[in-house]
Amino acid sequence: MLKIFLCHSSGDKEDVRRLRTQLLSAGFQPWLDEEDILPGQDWDREIRRAIRACDLVLVCLSRASVTKTGYVQKEIRIVLDEADHQPEGTIYVIPARLENCEVPERLQRWHRVDLFKQDGYDRLLKSLAAVAATRGGVRYDGFYAKPASDPGFTEFLRFYPDGTVLDVTTSGSAEQITKWFHADQPDLGKGPYDIVGDRITFATTASYGTIEYDGTVREDGTELHLHTLSHINGHESDGVWRFVPVKLST
């Protein structure tokens, strides 16, 4: 699960709380001081520890925060120091404007997201999904598919940042099925997945039965090699399959 540090000014707390709620609902793990620092803990130490532990940082900006002195400026300096240790090309710092305001010069090298615009949050989610795809070993921006055993039918897997995987065997393209492909569909298999190193295990259950998966995922997420054991409508079968990503074009 992608860990996101929410760097912000205390004056923007209400907006940041709403952002945290949205990110939690999307399956991410946002870190917010008032929720994640326990009474009696050293504030500065926990902030530094959280920044180091998180996968990326959202620096939330407003007209008030960019001119405010205080701890938020120190927090940004800590973030910038940590950013210097990230591999080149890594998405680690995302300036997130909560309203129309200037972006501080020291943050201008990173492309910002404008959360106050209509498409702002969707653009943020695309960036977070791209980061998550490099952290968890699987891709979240599309489906995995294996060669069809029956003409016209393909088995699809889709992984989500919250640790859930869905599967279905159906006809149609990934773009066509994504319109109805969600966890509430009774004909979809659903379950939690676990990744340790290059090992991935999960089991999906639907009204017709359960399929167990055990195999490996390439480090770049471009292939899954899975042994499957199916318990479908009272029948048991197994196989070894190669799944490859099908990136959505819509």
Side-chain angles (χ1 to χ4, degrees), residues 149-195:
S149 55
D150 296 318
F153 285 82
T154 303
E155 181 178 355
F156 292 97
L157 297 172
R158 190 164 193 181
F159 296 88
Y160 293 86
D162 65 353
T164 300
V165 59
L166 303 180
D167 80 45
V168 69
T169 299
T170 186
S171 60
S173 67
E175 282 76 15
Q176 290 170 329
I177 72 170
T178 192
K179 298 174 183 177
W180 52 263
F181 196 94
H182 53 80
D184 294 332
Q185 277 284 349
D187 293 330
L188 296 182
K190 180 181 179 182
Y193 66 88
D194 185 51
I195 299 176

Side-chain angles (χ1 to χ4, degrees), residues 3-148:
K3 298 178 181 178
I4 304 166
F5 185 87
L6 299 177
C7 177
H8 65 287
S9 168
S10 58
D12 297 321
K13 190 71 75 175
E14 286 301 320
D15 287 332
V16 175
R17 286 172 182 151
R18 284 191 290 270
L19 177 59
R20 175 181 180 272
T21 299
Q22 288 179 296
L23 293 171
L24 283 171
S25 298
F28 298 105
Q29 186 177 340
W31 193 97
L32 182 61
D33 50 11
E34 66 180 17
E35 296 289 341
D36 294 291
I37 297 179
L38 299 176
Q41 287 186 316
D42 185 302
W43 188 281
D44 185 72
R45 181 181 179 184
E46 293 306 313
I47 292 288
R48 292 176 181 274
R49 179 182 295 174
I51 291 172
R52 289 194 299 269
C54 284
D55 296 298
L56 63 83
V57 178
L58 288 182
V59 182
C60 301
L61 303 171
S62 66
R63 286 188 290 271
S65 69
V66 297
T67 58
K68 182 179 179 180
T69 59
Y71 193 85
V72 65
Q73 304 303 332
K74 180 179 180 180
E75 208 171 80
I76 291 175
R77 287 197 299 272
I78 298 170
V79 169
L80 294 176
D81 288 342
E82 191 64 27
D84 288 338
H85 294 89
Q86 302 301 313
E88 186 175 352
T90 299
I91 297 177
Y92 178 71
V93 177
I94 301 178
R97 297 202 304 172
L98 303 174
E99 60 183 356
N100 192 8
C101 63
E102 292 293 325
V103 176
E105 183 176 354
R106 54 186 173 164
L107 296 173
Q108 289 180 4
R109 61 175 162 139
W110 294 291
H111 190 52
R112 70 174 188 259
V113 62
D114 292 335
L115 295 179
F116 60 93
K117 293 185 177 179
Q118 186 174 0
D119 65 342
Y121 183 67
D122 288 339
R123 289 177 58 81
L124 174 61
L125 287 183
K126 288 181 180 180
S127 187
L128 297 181
V131 176
T134 68
R135 299 294 195 271
V138 294
R139 299 179 64 98
Y140 303 116
D141 57 349
F143 294 87
Y144 283 85
K146 74 175 178 67

